[in-house]
Amino acid sequence: MSVRVALLAAECEPWAKVGGLGDVVDSLARALGRLPEAGGELEAPIDVLIPRYRSVPLPSTARAEPPLRVADPAGGADLTAGIVDVAADGYRLRLVDIPAAFDRDGVYDHPDDPWRFAAFCRVALAALRRDGRPLDVLHVHDWHTAPALLERARGEAAGDPFFQRMAVLATLHNLAYHGWVPTAGLGQLGLAPGDPLAGGNPFGLDLLLTAIERADLVNTVSPGFAAEALTPVFGMGLDGALSARGDRFFGILNGIDAGVWDPGADDALAAPYRRGDVAGKTACRADLLRRLGMDPSDGGAVVGCIGRLDPQKGLDLLADAAPALLEAGVRLVVLGDGHAEIAAPFRALAASAPDRVALAERFDRALARRIYAGVDIFAMPSRFEPCGLGQMIALRYGTPPVVRRTGGLADSVVDVDEQPGRGTGFVFDEATPGALAAAIERAVRLRAGDPAAWAALQERGMARDFGWETSSAPRYLDAYRRAAALRGG
Ligand code: GLC
């Protein structure tokens, strides 16, 4: 008997991406389709459903399914929605086309987000149901797809066998975004205050909490963060609900797609290089620095940082550490978009020392690749990090990372001073500019003072295997089996 699984998410690279969620949905779906041991056990290709945002590029091979009519979650006239099928690389992408909800600029942060994502979940489930085959496991991600659990509860109450059978695995990528719906907004989800489905909080409904309480299994994206999430500091108000799930809440470390992230075959790079032969990395460094208006012949350490400009990422620590680092001859390259106030100090630094600090305030796939390859040291000073992908990519690109000892960063980087023969980077504890600067200075000293040790460090990092197939995709398959079994499937 093969298990039918569908992934429901707000992002999937390269069609719609704000952060790591998009990368993980794409690469996990592809890896699941490739699992040899899943042969015959997991129906392939896997379905991935995301909204058709205005910005989604439609390939000419896209094919429209017949339109669907579903009740608007907020009441009123029915919604007519389309489903557009796209043959993606290794899975089947189905774009849920609800123009009133998604034919707008931007992915998130519209005042009617609860309604937009409730409508998305309802239409997606109607499409999966129309396929005429039972769905064993629905895999939802973050708060955006939590309304699917309200749909299941309604379907179960109505005795609908499709929903009675369907198990749900909820993956939590970020506990900072809850999808909070104040009582006055409950109508967007088709709920009236006091409705048992609304959860009993007199002030409103927390969609992420709804997913945690109602899914058959819940996971987050690293074992380290799964442990941290049970504490008040990292649980962000959800630690109690997560503890209550007992062994039904666990961590599975994200992977990266080794084919997508391969310095030996990366078109964005000036020269290819690989483990054991990193000569091309020097050309990548020169190319990056030239593009940024920095002197390629200056051998001093260049530190790179890539990510959403979000308080989570600890860029303020890097900004505060910057003056001392620049004084020591270090140069900085920062790429990301998001909160303008997080970029402000880097903007000022780049204006006063354009040959020492570069800031690119945008989302730029090619530049990101050139930074992973071209800088000497990669910094991830996150305050919290459910997993983090940048450190894994940096390791694969031979760029030793400096990371805070938190969540998935602590699970994926080993400090070279703590474990000299095994270390792959530099780990620091306190979320302070001083602790970050000290860790970067350790890296700068090793690089300048002991080239052989530095080369060995790079080599160990490049040898780390974060491919999905090795462990994490099989663990998701196990979770699907377990969720289906809990549901009686
Ligand atoms: C979120 C988390 C990040 C994780 C990513 C993918 O962006 O903040 O730590 O790697 O999701 O799971």
Side-chain angles (χ1 to χ4, degrees):
M1 264 287 286
S2 87
V3 183
R4 183 180 181 220
V5 178
L7 270 58
L8 208 59
E11 300 178 29
C12 183
E13 172 74 354
W15 293 277
K17 160 164 158 156
V18 175
L21 169 64
D23 297 283
V24 167
V25 169
D26 164 65
S27 56
L28 171 61
R30 185 164 42 254
L32 287 167
R34 275 199 302 241
L35 274 188
E37 64 270 39
E41 230 198 295
L42 197 58
E43 201 184 283
I46 296 254
D47 280 358
V48 177
L49 295 98
I50 65 166
R52 181 182 177 186
Y53 305 102
R54 179 177 288 168
S55 53
V56 177
L58 265 202
S60 58
T61 51
R63 193 182 58 80
E65 296 181 27
L68 281 157
R69 276 179 85 81
V70 302
D72 184 329
D78 281 358
L79 290 173
T80 302
I83 304 286
V84 182
D85 280 19
V86 176
D89 178 13
Y91 51 91
R92 179 162 75 140
L93 182 74
R94 300 170 86 182
L95 300 168
V96 174
D97 189 12
I98 313 170
F102 297 108
D103 189 9
R104 314 178 185 182
D105 289 334
V107 170
Y108 305 125
D109 297 329
H110 294 281
D112 56 351
D113 275 355
W115 172 75
R116 296 170 73 225
F117 288 104
F120 164 64
C121 290
R122 180 167 287 185
V123 172
L125 285 164
L128 289 162
R129 192 175 204 297
R130 184 173 65 181
D131 295 336
R133 308 186 313 283
L135 182 67
D136 300 293
V137 182
L138 183 73
H139 186 176
V140 300
H141 299 264
D142 281 351
W143 71 264
H144 327 105
T145 45
L149 286 147
L150 300 174
E151 292 299 297
R152 181 173 76 166
R154 290 178 174 121
E156 278 180 296
D160 182 334
F162 179 80
F163 286 106
Q164 245 132 16
R165 169 179 185 126
M166 183 185 86
V168 177
L169 169 66
T171 297
L172 315 176
H173 298 261
N174 199 329
L175 299 186
Y177 298 96
H178 285 215
W180 173 251
V181 187
T183 300
L186 286 178
Q188 295 189 42
L189 303 171
L191 297 170
D195 187 313
L197 274 185
N201 180 330
F203 301 106
L205 172 74
D206 182 320
L207 280 167
L208 199 57
L209 177 65
T210 300
I212 292 168
E213 290 178 339
R214 291 184 176 272
D216 300 282
L217 292 175
V218 180
N219 81 296
T220 185
V221 288
S222 69
F225 188 72
E228 288 174 351
L230 301 177
T231 66
V233 173
F234 291 99
M236 304 201 187
L238 298 166
D239 39 300
L242 290 168
S243 300
R245 297 307 314 261
D247 74 349
R248 292 193 182 202
F249 170 61
F250 48 89
I252 302 179
L253 191 70
N254 282 335
I256 55 172
D257 186 319
V260 170
W261 298 105
D262 178 4
D266 187 330
D267 292 341
L269 304 191
Y273 60 95
R274 51 189 57 81
R275 195 180 153 204
D277 176 15
V278 293
K281 195 173 191 309
T282 311
C284 294
R285 181 182 192 274
D287 172 63
L288 172 74
L289 296 183
R290 238 180 265 117
R291 284 172 188 269
L292 298 175
M294 292 178 167
D295 177 6
S297 66
D298 176 344
V302 180
V303 175
C305 187
I306 302 176
R308 282 177 291 119
L309 301 180
D310 184 293
Q312 167 190 353
K313 299 290 176 182
L315 267 88
D316 55 313
L317 303 177
L318 186 62
D320 290 347
L325 292 171
L326 298 181
E327 188 69 28
V330 168
R331 289 176 291 171
L332 289 180
V333 176
V334 176
L335 168 67
D337 63 357
H339 298 247
E341 70 276 12
I342 294 176
F346 294 103
R347 226 180 283 138
L349 287 165
S352 65
D355 56 335
R356 309 212 61 80
V357 178
L359 168 69
E361 254 185 281
R362 58 177 192 268
F363 176 75
D364 185 331
R365 289 185 176 89
L367 181 57
R369 290 173 174 278
R370 294 183 183 121
I371 293 174
Y372 285 121
V375 299
D376 303 305
I377 296 163
F378 188 78
M380 261 180 104
S382 307
R383 292 176 186 281
F384 66 93
E385 198 60 81
C387 180
L389 303 173
Q391 80 283 12
M392 296 182 182
I393 299 167
L395 287 166
R396 184 150 168 77
Y397 277 56
T399 304
V402 172
V403 304
R404 229 191 118 221
R405 199 184 314 272
T406 187
L409 298 175
D411 285 351
S412 54
V413 180
V414 176
D415 186 279
V416 67
D417 288 323
E418 289 167 14
Q419 302 194 43
R422 278 194 58 228
T424 52
F426 303 83
V427 185
F428 66 99
D429 289 278
E430 298 304 317
T432 60
L436 168 62
I440 292 177
E441 279 155 14
R442 278 199 288 138
V444 169
R445 270 198 308 277
L446 185 68
R447 175 175 174 274
D450 193 342
W454 187 258
L457 175 71
Q458 289 178 296
E459 159 66 24
R460 281 192 300 272
M462 294 182 88
R464 276 299 315 262
D465 178 4
F466 291 109
W468 280 105
E469 286 83 349
T470 318
S471 68
S472 296
R475 294 211 51 210
Y476 273 103
L477 178 58
D478 288 343
Y480 297 151
R481 287 195 195 107
R482 184 175 162 212
L486 285 166
R487 200 78 190 157

